[in-house]
Amino acid sequence: MFALTRFLLQSYTRKHAYFAAFAATLISMGLLYSYKPNPVMDSYAVTSVFLFIGSAWIALSFLNHAGPQQEQLHMIHIGSMRKYLLSQITALIIPVILLTFIFILYPIVFRMFGEPVRFHELMLAICGHLVMGILGFALALFCQKGLMANGTRATSILLILIIVSIAAKSLTGLLPEALAWLRWILPPVSLMMNGLMNRKSIPTYEVWGTLGYGLFYFAVLVLVYTAISVRRDART
């Protein structure tokens, strides 16, 4: 399985499809830190959203870079659709970890903050970036060509999901109280962003709770994606 993960990453990087998404994500970070000093957690909250968008973009290009015949060959060689999907997801986690590493260390190394980063803030920022990143690519799993043949429609749907996820707190605030439960259906990006930004005014357990909910949401998306893919494979 790890050999397939490595092969998928090598195949993807050889096609240079990652460049635009990586470059745009890093440029966004560069613009944010174009002046200093910056507030610690507010800045980390913003870069975690950059990672959410960037990982969705990277995932969409990664999932579409190989043709259906190539994917069938991979599944035959590895012997299981579930192992193939796990290899895909493992490959998508690696750029999330890489970008998290860059987003966390860049402002510290180049002294972009106006105050020292405390250990608790550092742990919160790392976990926030990782959860945001995996949530981003989890949304893209459902917008790949294998599930949506129309690439333009798939990209549009992914963009709408990203926008709605980021603006969910404001959008659900406009709804009547009877529909307030809808906030728990939308990806909890705005909840996590709010928790990171307002860490000092929100109880610590609530901030960590939003990250835990994001992780749970990711697990549900992956389980649904696996069920859909296995059923689709059984029909072919």
Side-chain angles (χ1 to χ4, degrees):
M1 197 183 75
F2 291 110
L4 178 57
T5 300
R6 187 169 61 249
F7 178 85
L8 289 173
L9 284 172
Q10 288 174 343
S11 167
Y12 177 56
T13 51
R14 274 198 294 268
K15 294 191 176 181
H16 303 291
Y18 64 92
F19 182 77
F22 260 91
T25 307
L26 294 177
I27 288 170
S28 300
M29 183 196 68
L31 290 174
L32 175 69
Y33 292 120
S34 58
Y35 67 92
K36 60 181 182 181
N38 296 272
V40 176
M41 290 311 294
D42 285 28
S43 302
Y44 278 145
V46 174
T47 54
S48 69
V49 175
F50 290 163
L51 183 53
F52 169 70
I53 300 169
S55 66
W57 187 354
I58 291 168
L60 194 63
S61 60
F62 173 84
L63 295 165
N64 292 336
H65 90 277
Q69 293 83 6
Q70 187 69 40
E71 290 188 341
Q72 284 296 327
L73 279 175
H74 292 325
M75 280 182 269
I76 290 169
H77 281 295
I78 201 166
S80 162
M81 168 60 95
R82 286 187 175 83
K83 286 182 181 177
Y84 173 69
L85 297 177
L86 191 55
S87 301
Q88 261 190 343
I89 291 168
T90 305
L92 286 170
I93 288 174
I94 290 173
V96 170
I97 294 173
L98 175 64
L99 285 171
T100 295
F101 184 76
I102 295 171
F103 283 162
I104 295 295
L105 286 187
Y106 177 86
I108 296 175
V109 171
F110 291 97
R111 300 183 179 183
M112 292 294 175
F113 295 137
E115 55 187 316
V117 181
R118 296 177 178 83
F119 179 75
H120 178 69
E121 292 176 330
L122 187 64
M123 291 298 102
L124 202 56
I126 292 172
C127 293
H129 280 76
L130 290 174
V131 176
M132 285 279 206
I134 60 178
L135 262 183
F137 79 65
L139 293 182
L141 292 174
F142 298 90
C143 300
Q144 57 179 296
K145 284 181 183 174
L147 298 181
M148 287 190 192
N150 188 322
T152 304
R153 182 181 301 167
T155 305
S156 302
I157 290 174
L158 182 58
L159 282 173
I160 291 170
L161 286 173
I162 289 171
I163 293 169
V164 169
S165 301
I166 295 171
K169 189 170 183 290
S170 302
L171 291 175
T172 53
L174 300 174
L175 296 174
E177 189 61 29
L179 297 176
W181 54 270
L182 283 174
R183 74 185 63 174
W184 300 107
I185 293 180
L186 298 172
V189 173
S190 64
L191 291 176
M192 290 191 289
M193 186 171 62
N194 182 60
L196 293 175
M197 280 185 166
N198 300 297
R199 185 193 67 80
K200 292 180 180 176
S201 58
I202 297 176
T204 302
Y205 70 88
E206 282 191 22
V207 180
W208 282 104
T210 59
L211 297 185
Y213 180 57
L215 198 59
F216 171 75
Y217 199 98
F218 165 77
V220 171
L221 288 179
V222 169
L223 286 175
V224 172
Y225 171 67
T226 302
I228 292 173
S229 300
V230 169
R231 177 176 290 185
R232 187 167 61 93
D233 184 56
R235 288 177 179 172
T236 57

